[in-house]
Coordinates of all heavy atoms in Angstrom, one line a residue:
M1023 N 67.5 102.9 57.6 CA 66.7 101.9 57.0 C 65.7 101.3 58.0 O 64.6 100.9 57.7 CB 67.5 100.8 56.5 CG 68.2 101.1 55.2 SD 68.5 99.5 54.5 CE 68.8 99.9 52.8
G1024 N 66.1 101.3 59.3 CA 65.3 100.8 60.4 C 64.0 101.5 60.5 O 63.0 100.9 60.8
F1025 N 64.1 102.8 60.3 CA 62.8 103.6 60.5 C 61.9 103.4 59.4 O 60.6 103.4 59.6 CB 63.2 105.1 60.6 CG 63.8 105.4 62.0 CD1 65.2 105.9 62.0 CD2 63.2 105.2 63.2 CE1 65.8 106.2 63.1 CE2 63.8 105.5 64.4 CZ 65.1 106.0 64.4
G1026 N 62.4 103.3 58.2 CA 61.5 103.0 57.0 C 60.7 101.7 57.2 O 59.5 101.7 56.9
S1027 N 61.4 100.7 57.6 CA 60.7 99.4 57.8 C 59.7 99.5 58.9 O 58.6 98.9 58.8 CB 61.8 98.4 58.1 OG 61.2 97.1 58.5
T1028 N 60.0 100.2 60.0 CA 59.1 100.4 61.1 C 57.8 101.2 60.6 O 56.7 100.8 60.9 CB 59.7 101.0 62.3 OG1 60.9 100.3 62.7 CG2 58.8 101.2 63.4
A1029 N 58.1 102.2 59.8 CA 57.0 103.0 59.3 C 56.0 102.2 58.4 O 54.8 102.3 58.5 CB 57.5 104.2 58.5
K1030 N 56.6 101.3 57.6 CA 55.8 100.4 56.7 C 54.9 99.5 57.6 O 53.8 99.2 57.4 CB 56.7 99.6 55.8 CG 57.3 100.4 54.7 CD 58.1 99.5 53.8 CE 58.7 100.4 52.7 NZ 59.5 99.6 51.8
K1031 N 55.6 98.9 58.7 CA 54.9 98.0 59.5 C 53.7 98.7 60.3 O 52.6 98.2 60.4 CB 55.8 97.4 60.6 CG 56.7 96.3 59.9 CD 57.7 95.8 61.0 CE 58.6 94.8 60.3 NZ 59.6 94.2 61.3
V1032 N 54.0 99.9 60.7 CA 53.0 100.7 61.5 C 51.9 101.1 60.5 O 50.7 101.0 60.8 CB 53.5 102.0 62.0 CG1 52.5 102.9 62.6 CG2 54.5 101.6 63.2
Q1033 N 52.2 101.4 59.2 CA 51.2 101.8 58.2 C 50.3 100.6 57.9 O 49.1 100.6 57.8 CB 51.8 102.3 57.0 CG 50.8 102.8 55.9 CD 49.9 103.9 56.4 OE1 50.3 104.8 57.1 NE2 48.6 103.8 56.2
K1034 N 51.0 99.4 57.8 CA 50.2 98.2 57.5 C 49.3 97.8 58.7 O 48.2 97.4 58.4 CB 51.2 97.0 57.3 CG 50.6 95.7 56.9 CD 51.6 94.7 56.6 CE 51.0 93.4 56.1 NZ 51.9 92.3 55.8
L1035 N 49.8 98.0 59.9 CA 49.0 97.7 61.1 C 47.8 98.7 61.1 O 46.6 98.3 61.4 CB 49.8 97.9 62.3 CG 49.1 97.6 63.6 CD1 48.7 96.2 63.7 CD2 50.1 97.9 64.8
A1036 N 48.0 100.0 60.8 CA 46.9 101.0 60.7 C 45.9 100.6 59.7 O 44.7 100.7 59.9 CB 47.5 102.4 60.5
D1037 N 46.4 100.2 58.5 CA 45.4 99.8 57.4 C 44.6 98.6 57.9 O 43.3 98.6 57.6 CB 46.2 99.4 56.1 CG 46.9 100.6 55.5 OD1 46.4 101.8 55.8 OD2 47.8 100.4 54.6
T1038 N 45.2 97.6 58.5 CA 44.5 96.5 59.0 C 43.5 96.8 60.0 O 42.3 96.3 60.0 CB 45.5 95.4 59.6 OG1 46.5 95.1 58.6 CG2 44.8 94.1 60.0
A1039 N 43.8 97.7 60.9 CA 42.9 98.2 61.9 C 41.7 98.9 61.3 O 40.6 98.7 61.8 CB 43.6 99.2 62.9
E1040 N 41.9 99.7 60.3 CA 40.8 100.4 59.6 C 39.9 99.4 59.0 O 38.7 99.6 59.0 CB 41.4 101.3 58.5 CG 41.9 102.7 59.1 CD 42.4 103.6 58.0 OE1 41.8 103.6 56.9 OE2 43.4 104.3 58.2
K1041 N 40.5 98.4 58.3 CA 39.6 97.3 57.6 C 38.8 96.6 58.7 O 37.6 96.4 58.6 CB 40.5 96.3 56.9 CG 41.1 96.9 55.7 CD 42.0 95.8 55.0 CE 42.7 96.5 53.7 NZ 43.7 95.5 53.2
L1042 N 39.4 96.3 59.8 CA 38.7 95.6 60.9 C 37.6 96.5 61.5 O 36.5 96.0 61.8 CB 39.6 95.1 62.0 CG 40.6 94.0 61.7 CD1 41.5 93.7 62.8 CD2 39.7 92.7 61.5
Y1043 N 37.9 97.8 61.6 CA 36.9 98.7 62.2 C 35.7 98.8 61.2 O 34.6 98.8 61.7 CB 37.6 100.1 62.4 CG 36.7 101.1 63.0 CD1 36.3 101.0 64.4 CD2 36.1 102.1 62.3 CE1 35.5 101.9 64.9 CE2 35.3 103.1 62.8 CZ 34.9 103.0 64.1 OH 34.1 103.9 64.7
S1044 N 36.0 98.9 59.9 CA 35.0 98.9 58.9 C 34.1 97.7 59.0 O 32.8 97.7 58.9 CB 35.6 99.1 57.5 OG 34.6 99.1 56.5
K1045 N 34.7 96.5 59.1 CA 34.0 95.3 59.1 C 33.2 95.2 60.4 O 32.0 94.7 60.3 CB 34.9 94.1 59.1 CG 35.6 93.8 57.7 CD 36.4 92.6 57.7 CE 37.1 92.4 56.4 NZ 37.9 91.1 56.4
L1046 N 33.6 95.7 61.4 CA 32.9 95.7 62.8 C 31.7 96.6 62.6 O 30.6 96.2 63.1 CB 33.8 96.2 63.9 CG 33.2 96.2 65.3 CD1 32.8 94.8 65.7 CD2 34.2 96.8 66.3
N1047 N 31.8 97.7 62.0 CA 30.7 98.6 61.8 C 29.6 97.9 60.9 O 28.4 98.1 61.2 CB 31.1 99.9 61.2 CG 31.7 100.8 62.3 OD1 31.4 100.7 63.5 ND2 32.6 101.8 61.8
D1048 N 30.1 97.2 59.9 CA 29.2 96.5 59.0 C 28.4 95.4 59.8 O 27.2 95.3 59.6 CB 29.9 95.8 57.8 CG 30.5 96.8 56.8 OD1 30.0 98.0 56.8 OD2 31.3 96.4 56.0
L1049 N 29.1 94.7 60.6 CA 28.5 93.7 61.4 C 27.5 94.3 62.4 O 26.4 93.8 62.6 CB 29.5 92.9 62.2 CG 30.3 91.9 61.5 CD1 31.5 91.3 62.2 CD2 29.4 90.8 60.9
R1050 N 27.8 95.4 63.0 CA 26.9 96.1 63.9 C 25.6 96.5 63.1 O 24.5 96.3 63.6 CB 27.5 97.4 64.5 CG 28.5 97.1 65.6 CD 29.0 98.4 66.1 NE 30.0 98.1 67.2 CZ 31.0 99.0 67.6 NH1 31.1 100.1 67.0 NH2 31.8 98.6 68.5
Q1051 N 25.8 97.0 61.9 CA 24.6 97.3 61.1 C 23.8 96.1 60.8 O 22.5 96.2 60.9 CB 25.0 98.1 59.9 CG 23.9 98.6 59.0 CD 24.4 99.3 57.8 OE1 25.6 99.4 57.5 NE2 23.4 99.7 57.0
Q1052 N 24.4 95.0 60.4 CA 23.7 93.8 60.1 C 22.9 93.3 61.3 O 21.8 92.9 61.2 CB 24.6 92.7 59.6 CG 25.2 93.0 58.3 CD 26.2 91.9 57.8 OE1 26.5 91.0 58.6 NE2 26.8 92.1 56.7
V1053 N 23.6 93.4 62.5 CA 22.9 92.9 63.8 C 21.7 93.8 64.0 O 20.6 93.3 64.4 CB 23.8 92.9 64.9 CG1 23.1 92.8 66.3 CG2 24.9 91.8 64.8
A1054 N 21.8 95.1 63.8 CA 20.7 96.0 64.1 C 19.5 95.7 63.1 O 18.3 95.7 63.5 CB 21.1 97.5 63.9
E1055 N 19.9 95.4 61.8 CA 18.8 95.1 60.8 C 18.2 93.8 61.2 O 17.0 93.6 61.1 CB 19.4 95.0 59.5 CG 19.8 96.3 58.9 CD 20.7 96.2 57.6 OE1 20.9 95.1 57.1 OE2 21.0 97.3 57.0
M1056 N 18.9 92.8 61.7 CA 18.4 91.5 62.1 C 17.4 91.7 63.3 O 16.4 91.1 63.3 CB 19.5 90.5 62.4 CG 20.2 90.0 61.1 SD 21.5 88.9 61.5 CE 20.6 87.4 61.9
R1057 N 17.8 92.5 64.2 CA 16.9 92.8 65.3 C 15.6 93.4 64.9 O 14.5 93.1 65.4 CB 17.6 93.7 66.3 CG 18.7 93.0 67.2 CD 19.3 93.9 68.2 NE 20.3 93.2 69.0 CZ 21.2 93.8 69.6 NH1 21.3 95.1 69.7 NH2 22.1 93.0 70.3
E1058 N 15.7 94.3 63.9 CA 14.4 95.0 63.4 C 13.6 93.9 62.7 O 12.4 93.9 62.9 CB 14.8 96.1 62.4 CG 15.4 97.3 63.1 CD 15.9 98.4 62.1 OE1 15.4 98.3 60.9 OE2 16.6 99.3 62.4
Q1059 N 14.2 93.1 62.0 CA 13.5 92.0 61.3 C 12.8 91.0 62.3 O 11.7 90.5 62.1 CB 14.4 91.2 60.3 CG 14.7 92.0 59.1 CD 15.7 91.2 58.2 OE1 16.3 90.2 58.6 NE2 15.8 91.7 56.9
L1060 N 13.6 90.7 63.3 CA 13.1 89.8 64.3 C 11.9 90.4 65.0 O 10.9 89.7 65.2 CB 14.2 89.5 65.3 CG 13.8 88.6 66.5 CD1 13.4 87.2 66.0 CD2 15.0 88.5 67.5
D1061 N 12.0 91.7 65.3 CA 10.9 92.4 66.0 C 9.6 92.3 65.1 O 8.5 92.1 65.5 CB 11.2 93.8 66.4 CG 12.3 93.9 67.6 OD1 12.4 92.9 68.3 OD2 12.9 94.9 67.7
S1062 N 9.9 92.6 63.8 CA 8.8 92.7 62.8 C 8.2 91.3 62.7 O 6.9 91.2 62.7 CB 9.4 93.2 61.5 OG 8.3 93.1 60.5
T1063 N 9.0 90.3 62.6 CA 8.5 88.9 62.5 C 7.7 88.5 63.7 O 6.6 87.9 63.6 CB 9.7 88.0 62.2 OG1 10.3 88.4 61.0 CG2 9.2 86.5 62.0
S1064 N 8.2 88.9 64.9 CA 7.5 88.6 66.1 C 6.1 89.2 66.2 O 5.2 88.5 66.6 CB 8.4 89.0 67.3 OG 7.7 88.7 68.5
E1065 N 6.1 90.4 65.8 CA 4.8 91.2 65.8 C 3.9 90.5 64.8 O 2.7 90.4 65.1 CB 5.0 92.7 65.4 CG 5.7 93.5 66.5 CD 6.1 94.8 66.0 OE1 5.8 95.2 64.8 OE2 6.8 95.6 66.8
R1066 N 4.4 90.1 63.6 CA 3.5 89.5 62.6 C 3.0 88.1 63.1 O 1.8 87.8 62.9 CB 4.3 89.3 61.3 CG 3.5 88.9 60.1 CD 4.4 88.9 58.8 NE 5.3 90.0 58.8 CZ 6.6 89.8 58.4 NH1 7.0 88.6 58.0 NH2 7.5 90.8 58.3
V1067 N 3.9 87.3 63.7 CA 3.4 86.0 64.3 C 2.4 86.3 65.4 O 1.4 85.5 65.4 CB 4.7 85.3 64.9 CG1 4.2 84.1 65.7 CG2 5.6 84.9 63.8
E1068 N 2.6 87.2 66.3 CA 1.5 87.5 67.3 C 0.2 87.8 66.6 O -0.8 87.4 67.1 CB 2.0 88.6 68.2 CG 3.2 88.1 69.1 CD 3.7 89.3 69.9 OE1 3.2 90.4 69.9 OE2 4.7 89.0 70.7
R1069 N 0.2 88.7 65.6 CA -1.0 89.1 64.9 C -1.6 87.9 64.3 O -2.9 87.8 64.4 CB -0.6 90.2 63.9 CG -1.9 90.7 63.1 CD -1.5 91.8 62.1 NE -0.4 91.4 61.2 CZ -0.5 90.6 60.1 NH1 -1.7 90.1 59.8 NH2 0.6 90.4 59.4
L1070 N -0.8 87.1 63.6 CA -1.4 85.9 63.0 C -2.0 84.9 64.0 O -3.1 84.4 63.7 CB -0.4 85.2 62.1 CG 0.1 85.9 60.8 CD1 1.3 85.2 60.3 CD2 -1.1 86.0 59.9
E1071 N -1.4 84.8 65.1 CA -1.9 83.9 66.2 C -3.3 84.5 66.7 O -4.2 83.7 66.9 CB -0.9 83.8 67.3 CG 0.3 82.9 67.0 CD 1.3 82.8 68.0 OE1 1.3 83.7 69.0 OE2 2.1 81.9 68.0
R1072 N -3.3 85.8 66.8 CA -4.6 86.4 67.3 C -5.7 86.2 66.2 O -6.8 85.8 66.6 CB -4.4 87.9 67.5 CG -3.8 88.2 68.9 CD -4.0 89.8 69.2 NE -3.4 90.6 68.1 CZ -2.2 91.0 68.0 NH1 -1.3 90.7 68.9 NH2 -1.8 91.8 67.0
E1073 N -5.3 86.4 65.0 CA -6.3 86.2 63.9 C -6.8 84.7 63.8 O -8.0 84.4 63.7 CB -5.7 86.6 62.6 CG -5.6 88.1 62.4 CD -4.9 88.5 61.1 OE1 -4.7 87.5 60.2 OE2 -4.6 89.7 60.9
N1074 N -5.8 83.8 64.0 CA -6.2 82.4 64.0 C -7.1 82.0 65.2 O -8.1 81.3 65.0 CB -4.9 81.6 64.1 CG -5.1 80.1 63.9 OD1 -6.0 79.7 63.2 ND2 -4.2 79.3 64.5
A1075 N -6.8 82.6 66.3 CA -7.7 82.3 67.5 C -9.1 82.9 67.2 O -10.1 82.3 67.6 CB -7.1 83.0 68.7
Q1076 N -9.2 84.1 66.6 CA -10.5 84.7 66.3 C -11.3 83.8 65.2 O -12.4 83.5 65.4 CB -10.3 86.0 65.7 CG -9.9 87.1 66.8 CD -9.5 88.5 66.1 OE1 -9.4 88.6 64.9 NE2 -9.3 89.4 66.9
Q1077 N -10.5 83.3 64.2 CA -11.2 82.5 63.2 C -11.6 81.2 63.8 O -12.7 80.7 63.5 CB -10.2 82.2 62.1 CG -10.0 83.5 61.2 CD -8.9 83.3 60.1 OE1 -8.3 82.2 60.1 NE2 -8.6 84.4 59.4
R1078 N -10.8 80.6 64.8 CA -11.2 79.4 65.4 C -12.4 79.6 66.2 O -13.3 78.7 66.2 CB -10.1 78.9 66.2 CG -10.4 77.5 67.0 CD -9.2 77.0 67.6 NE -9.5 75.7 68.3 CZ -9.5 74.6 67.8 NH1 -9.2 74.5 66.5 NH2 -9.9 73.5 68.5
A1079 N -12.5 80.7 66.9 CA -13.7 80.9 67.7 C -15.0 81.1 66.8 O -16.0 80.6 67.2 CB -13.5 82.2 68.6
L1080 N -14.8 81.8 65.7 CA -15.9 81.9 64.8 C -16.4 80.5 64.2 O -17.5 80.2 64.1 CB -15.5 82.8 63.6 CG -15.5 84.3 63.9 CD1 -14.9 85.0 62.7 CD2 -16.9 84.8 64.3
L1081 N -15.4 79.7 63.8 CA -15.7 78.4 63.3 C -16.4 77.5 64.4 O -17.3 76.8 64.1 CB -14.4 77.6 62.8 CG -13.8 78.1 61.5 CD1 -12.5 77.5 61.2 CD2 -14.8 77.8 60.4
E1082 N -15.9 77.6 65.6 CA -16.5 76.8 66.7 C -17.9 77.3 66.9 O -18.8 76.5 67.2 CB -15.7 76.9 67.9 CG -14.4 76.0 67.8 CD -13.5 76.2 69.1 OE1 -13.8 76.9 70.0 OE2 -12.5 75.4 69.1
A1083 N -18.2 78.6 66.8 CA -19.5 79.1 67.0 C -20.4 78.7 65.9 O -21.6 78.2 66.2 CB -19.5 80.7 67.1
L1084 N -20.0 78.7 64.7 CA -20.7 78.2 63.6 C -21.0 76.7 63.7 O -22.1 76.3 63.4 CB -20.0 78.5 62.2 CG -20.0 80.0 61.8 CD1 -19.0 80.1 60.6 CD2 -21.3 80.5 61.5
A1085 N -20.0 76.0 64.1 CA -20.2 74.5 64.2 C -21.2 74.2 65.3 O -22.1 73.4 65.2 CB -18.9 73.9 64.6
E1086 N -21.1 75.0 66.4 CA -22.1 74.8 67.5 C -23.5 75.1 67.0 O -24.5 74.4 67.4 CB -21.7 75.6 68.7 CG -22.6 75.4 70.0 CD -22.1 76.2 71.1 OE1 -20.9 76.6 71.2 OE2 -22.9 76.5 72.0
E1087 N -23.7 76.2 66.2 CA -25.0 76.5 65.7 C -25.6 75.4 64.9 O -26.8 75.2 64.9 CB -24.9 77.7 64.8 CG -25.1 79.0 65.5 CD -25.0 80.2 64.4 OE1 -25.2 80.0 63.2 OE2 -24.7 81.3 64.9
R1088 N -24.7 74.7 64.2 CA -25.2 73.6 63.3 C -25.1 72.3 63.9 O -25.4 71.2 63.3 CB -24.3 73.6 62.0 CG -24.4 75.0 61.4 CD -24.1 75.0 59.9 NE -24.5 76.2 59.3 CZ -23.8 76.9 58.5 NH1 -22.6 76.5 58.2 NH2 -24.2 78.1 58.0
G1089 N -24.8 72.2 65.2 CA -24.8 71.0 66.0 C -23.6 70.1 65.6 O -23.7 68.8 65.8
I1090 N -22.5 70.7 65.2 CA -21.3 69.8 64.9 C -20.4 69.8 66.1 O -20.1 70.8 66.7 CB -20.5 70.4 63.7 CG1 -21.4 70.4 62.5 CG2 -19.3 69.7 63.5 CD1 -20.9 71.2 61.3
D1091 N -20.0 68.6 66.5 CA -19.1 68.5 67.7 C -17.7 68.7 67.2 O -17.1 67.8 66.5 CB -19.2 67.1 68.3 CG -18.4 66.9 69.5 OD1 -17.8 67.8 70.0 OD2 -18.4 65.7 70.0
V1092 N -17.1 69.8 67.5 CA -15.8 70.2 67.0 C -14.7 69.2 67.5 O -13.8 68.8 66.8 CB -15.4 71.6 67.5 CG1 -14.0 72.1 67.1 CG2 -16.4 72.7 66.9
D1093 N -14.8 68.8 68.8 CA -13.8 67.9 69.3 C -13.8 66.6 68.6 O -12.8 66.0 68.3 CB -14.0 67.7 70.8 CG -13.8 68.9 71.6 OD1 -12.9 69.8 71.2 OD2 -14.4 69.1 72.7
A1094 N -15.0 66.1 68.2 CA -15.1 64.8 67.5 C -14.5 65.0 66.1 O -13.8 64.1 65.6 CB -16.6 64.4 67.4
V1095 N -14.7 66.1 65.5 CA -14.2 66.4 64.2 C -12.7 66.4 64.2 O -12.0 65.8 63.4 CB -14.7 67.6 63.5 CG1 -14.0 68.0 62.2 CG2 -16.2 67.6 63.3
E1096 N -12.1 67.0 65.2 CA -10.6 67.1 65.4 C -10.1 65.7 65.7 O -9.1 65.3 65.1 CB -10.3 68.0 66.6 CG -10.4 69.5 66.2 CD -10.2 70.4 67.4 OE1 -10.0 69.9 68.6 OE2 -10.1 71.6 67.2
T1097 N -10.8 64.9 66.5 CA -10.3 63.6 66.8 C -10.4 62.7 65.5 O -9.4 62.0 65.3 CB -11.2 62.9 67.9 OG1 -11.1 63.7 69.0 CG2 -10.7 61.6 68.2
D1098 N -11.4 62.9 64.7 CA -11.5 62.1 63.5 C -10.4 62.4 62.5 O -9.8 61.6 61.9 CB -12.8 62.3 62.8 CG -14.0 61.7 63.5 OD1 -13.8 60.8 64.4 OD2 -15.2 62.1 63.3
T1099 N -10.0 63.7 62.4 CA -9.0 64.1 61.5 C -7.7 63.6 62.0 O -6.9 63.1 61.2 CB -9.0 65.7 61.5 OG1 -10.2 66.2 61.1 CG2 -7.8 66.2 60.6
V1100 N -7.4 63.7 63.3 CA -6.1 63.1 63.8 C -6.1 61.6 63.6 O -5.0 61.1 63.1 CB -6.0 63.4 65.3 CG1 -4.9 62.6 66.0 CG2 -5.8 64.9 65.6
D1101 N -7.2 60.9 63.8 CA -7.2 59.5 63.5 C -6.9 59.1 62.1 O -6.2 58.2 61.8 CB -8.5 58.9 64.0 CG -8.7 58.8 65.5 OD1 -7.7 59.0 66.2 OD2 -9.9 58.7 66.0
L1102 N -7.5 60.0 61.2 CA -7.3 59.7 59.7 C -5.8 59.9 59.4 O -5.3 59.1 58.7 CB -8.2 60.7 58.9 CG -9.6 60.3 58.9 CD1 -10.3 61.4 58.1 CD2 -9.8 59.0 58.2
D1103 N -5.2 61.0 59.9 CA -3.9 61.3 59.7 C -3.0 60.1 60.2 O -2.0 59.6 59.5 CB -3.4 62.5 60.3 CG -3.9 63.8 59.6 OD1 -4.4 63.6 58.5 OD2 -3.9 64.9 60.2
E1104 N -3.2 59.6 61.4 CA -2.5 58.5 62.0 C -2.7 57.2 61.1 O -1.7 56.5 60.9 CB -2.9 58.3 63.4 CG -2.4 59.3 64.3 CD -2.9 59.2 65.8 OE1 -3.6 58.3 66.0 OE2 -2.5 60.0 66.6
N1105 N -3.9 57.0 60.7 CA -4.1 55.8 59.9 C -3.4 55.8 58.6 O -3.0 54.8 58.1 CB -5.6 55.6 59.7 CG -6.3 55.1 60.9 OD1 -5.7 54.6 61.8 ND2 -7.6 55.4 61.0
E1106 N -3.4 57.0 57.9 CA -2.7 57.1 56.6 C -1.2 56.9 56.8 O -0.6 56.2 56.1 CB -2.9 58.5 56.0 CG -4.3 58.7 55.5 CD -4.5 60.1 55.0 OE1 -3.6 60.9 55.0 OE2 -5.6 60.4 54.6
T1107 N -0.6 57.4 57.9 CA 0.8 57.2 58.2 C 1.0 55.7 58.6 O 2.0 55.0 58.2 CB 1.2 58.0 59.3 OG1 1.0 59.4 59.0 CG2 2.7 57.9 59.6
G1108 N 0.1 55.2 59.4 CA 0.2 53.7 59.8 C 0.1 52.8 58.7 O 0.7 51.8 58.7
D1109 N -0.8 53.1 57.7 CA -1.0 52.2 56.6 C 0.3 52.1 55.8 O 0.6 51.0 55.4 CB -2.1 52.7 55.7 CG -3.5 52.5 56.3 OD1 -3.6 51.8 57.3 OD2 -4.4 53.2 55.8
D1110 N 1.0 53.1 55.6 CA 2.2 53.1 54.9 C 3.2 52.2 55.5 O 3.9 51.4 54.9 CB 2.8 54.5 54.7 CG 2.0 55.3 53.7 OD1 1.2 54.8 53.0 OD2 2.2 56.6 53.7
E1111 N 3.3 52.4 56.8 CA 4.3 51.6 57.6 C 3.9 50.1 57.7 O 4.7 49.2 57.5 CB 4.4 52.1 59.1 CG 5.0 53.5 59.1 CD 4.9 54.1 60.5 OE1 4.5 53.5 61.5 OE2 5.4 55.3 60.7
S1112 N 2.6 49.8 57.9 CA 2.2 48.4 57.9 C 2.3 47.7 56.6 O 2.7 46.6 56.5 CB 0.7 48.3 58.4 OG -0.2 48.9 57.5
S1113 N 2.0 48.4 55.5 CA 2.3 47.8 54.2 C 3.7 47.5 53.9 O 4.0 46.5 53.3 CB 1.6 48.7 53.1 OG 2.3 49.9 53.0
D1114 N 4.6 48.3 54.4 CA 6.0 48.1 54.3 C 6.4 46.8 55.1 O 7.2 46.0 54.7 CB 6.9 49.2 54.7 CG 6.8 50.4 53.7 OD1 6.3 50.2 52.6 OD2 7.2 51.5 54.1
D1115 N 5.8 46.7 56.3 CA 6.1 45.6 57.2 C 5.5 44.3 56.5 O 6.2 43.2 56.6 CB 5.5 45.7 58.5 CG 6.1 46.8 59.3 OD1 7.3 47.2 59.0 OD2 5.5 47.4 60.3
E1116 N 4.3 44.4 56.0 CA 3.8 43.2 55.3 C 4.6 42.8 54.1 O 4.8 41.6 53.9 CB 2.3 43.5 54.9 CG 1.4 43.7 56.0 CD 0.0 44.2 55.6 OE1 -0.2 44.3 54.3 OE2 -0.9 44.5 56.4
K1117 N 5.2 43.8 53.4 CA 6.0 43.4 52.2 C 7.2 42.7 52.7 O 7.7 41.7 52.1 CB 6.3 44.6 51.4 CG 5.2 45.2 50.6 CD 5.6 46.5 50.0 CE 4.5 47.2 49.3 NZ 4.9 48.5 48.7
A1118 N 7.8 43.2 53.7 CA 9.0 42.5 54.3 C 8.8 41.2 54.8 O 9.6 40.2 54.5 CB 9.6 43.4 55.4
E1119 N 7.6 40.9 55.4 CA 7.3 39.6 55.9 C 7.0 38.7 54.7 O 7.4 37.5 54.7 CB 6.0 39.7 56.8 CG 6.3 40.3 58.1 CD 5.1 40.5 59.0 OE1 4.0 40.0 58.6 OE2 5.1 41.1 60.1
T1120 N 6.4 39.2 53.7 CA 6.0 38.3 52.5 C 7.3 37.9 51.8 O 7.4 36.8 51.4 CB 5.2 39.1 51.5 OG1 4.0 39.6 52.3 CG2 4.7 38.3 50.4
E1121 N 8.3 38.8 51.7 CA 9.6 38.5 51.0 C 10.4 37.6 51.8 O 11.2 36.8 51.2 CB 10.3 39.8 50.8 CG 9.7 40.8 49.8 CD 10.4 42.1 49.7 OE1 11.4 42.3 50.3 OE2 9.8 42.9 48.8
A1122 N 10.3 37.5 53.1 CA 11.1 36.7 54.0 C 10.6 35.3 53.9 O 10.8 34.3 53.4 CB 11.0 37.1 55.4

């Protein structure tokens, strides 16, 4: 009877090892696929950054042709964004002061 119990334990251990080995192989495959996706995404981002730089250069050249100060336009845009955000905060502050 002792040998039968040992054989069952060894078989159970072998089955568990096979399952773990299978899961490990699945994880290896998933890691390889993720690396491929990461490389692909990285290449895509680099390409988009190059295209963006080219488009920016074109826009700046067109703006210069038409006498538009690009830096001033960017500053105005940033100021507008900050004012919109600041207005929301100040109106909340004013409401709190009024209620107090």
Side-chain angles (χ1 to χ4, degrees):
M1023 282 207 166
F1025 290 116
S1027 175
T1028 303
K1030 286 181 182 179
K1031 288 180 183 178
V1032 169
Q1033 185 60 45
K1034 185 176 180 180
L1035 183 62
D1037 291 344
T1038 302
E1040 283 182 37
K1041 288 177 185 176
L1042 286 174
Y1043 184 75
S1044 175
K1045 286 182 181 181
L1046 182 60
N1047 282 334
D1048 290 344
L1049 285 173
R1050 283 183 182 157
Q1051 183 179 1
Q1052 288 177 2
V1053 168
E1055 289 171 0
M1056 288 179 72
R1057 283 183 180 159
E1058 288 175 16
Q1059 288 177 346
L1060 179 63
D1061 290 341
S1062 173
T1063 301
S1064 179
E1065 290 170 1
R1066 195 173 319 134
V1067 167
E1068 288 174 5
R1069 180 180 47 82
L1070 289 171
E1071 286 176 343
R1072 281 191 307 272
E1073 288 176 7
N1074 189 26
Q1076 291 170 347
Q1077 289 175 1
R1078 180 173 179 85
L1080 287 171
L1081 284 172
E1082 287 178 355
L1084 289 171
E1086 187 176 331
E1087 267 183 22
R1088 299 201 170 135
I1090 300 171
D1091 183 7
V1092 176
D1093 293 330
V1095 172
E1096 287 177 349
T1097 303
D1098 290 345
T1099 304
V1100 170
D1101 289 344
L1102 286 174
D1103 288 344
E1104 288 175 357
N1105 286 339
E1106 288 176 3
T1107 304
D1109 288 344
D1110 292 342
E1111 292 172 4
S1112 64
S1113 63
D1114 289 342
D1115 292 340
E1116 290 171 6
K1117 288 178 187 175
E1119 289 176 7
T1120 306
E1121 292 174 0

